[in-house]
């Protein structure tokens, strides 16, 4: 964030943040505000990292397996829409159009059809 602000000030670009009614320009006040916000973000990242490591250590100490389960997933997100997807495939609707209709990325639908071996008639 600080690098972006520095780049903007070097090129005499004022950065406006409308949500907080803030303007970052080449003034001393703007540089101080940016530095403080950058430090706060860095501290928050460290807190998040620390909490995550602590939670993982607790789970590991309790004997729980960490990470994703091995093997392929038994249940997929699009399983609940399988009949609808198959209906559209049978009607000859393209996978890209089906993805838009059901509200998922096209690549997700392509992968789902490949894994579940869905094809149109």
């Amino acid at each position: 964030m600080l690098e972006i602000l520095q780049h903007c000030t070097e090129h005499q670009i004022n950065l406006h943040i409308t949500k907080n009614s803030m303007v970052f320009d080449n003034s001393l006040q703007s540089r101080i505000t940016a530095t403080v916000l950058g430090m706060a973000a860095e501290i928050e990242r460290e807190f998040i990292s620390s909490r995550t490591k602590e939670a993982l250590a607790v789970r590991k100490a309790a004997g729980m397996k960490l990470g994703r389960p091995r093997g392929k997933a038994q249940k997929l997100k699009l399983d609940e829409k399988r009949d609808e997807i198959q209906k559209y495939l049978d009607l000859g609707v393209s996978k890209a159009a089906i993805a838009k209709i059901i509200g998922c990325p096209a690549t997700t639908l392509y992968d789902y059809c490949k894994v579940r071996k869905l094809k149109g008639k």
Side-chain angles (χ1 to χ4, degrees), residues 85-96:
I85 294 168
Q86 187 61 60
K87 177 184 78 169
Y88 288 127
L89 287 171
D90 292 343
L91 290 172
V93 179
S94 71
K95 290 180 184 173

Side-chain angles (χ1 to χ4, degrees), residues 11-91:
H11 291 85
Q12 297 178 346
I13 299 170
N14 291 341
L15 182 66
H16 296 262
I17 301 175
T18 56
K19 185 174 182 179
N20 298 335
S21 300
M22 298 174 79
V23 178
F24 290 100
D25 50 18
N26 201 18
S27 69
L28 179 61
Q29 181 181 358
S30 293
R31 287 184 285 193
I32 292 171
T33 304
T35 303
V36 170
L37 290 174
M39 286 177 20
E42 187 175 337
I43 291 168
E44 181 60 25
R45 278 194 306 274
E46 288 180 20
F47 282 151
I48 290 170
S49 175
S50 174
R51 287 191 300 264
T52 302
K53 288 175 183 175
E54 288 172 10
L56 289 173
V58 168
R59 290 182 71 133
K60 190 172 184 178
M64 298 177 79
K65 286 189 174 184
L66 303 179
R68 292 180 65 174
R70 298 186 100 187
K72 295 189 179 207
Q74 299 300 314
K75 184 179 178 197
L76 301 174
K77 278 185 175 181
L78 294 179
D79 280 343
E80 60 192 37
K81 297 185 179 188
R82 182 181 181 136
D83 295 336
E84 184 181 1
I85 294 168
Q86 187 61 60
K87 177 184 78 169
Y88 288 127
L89 287 171
D90 292 343
L91 290 172

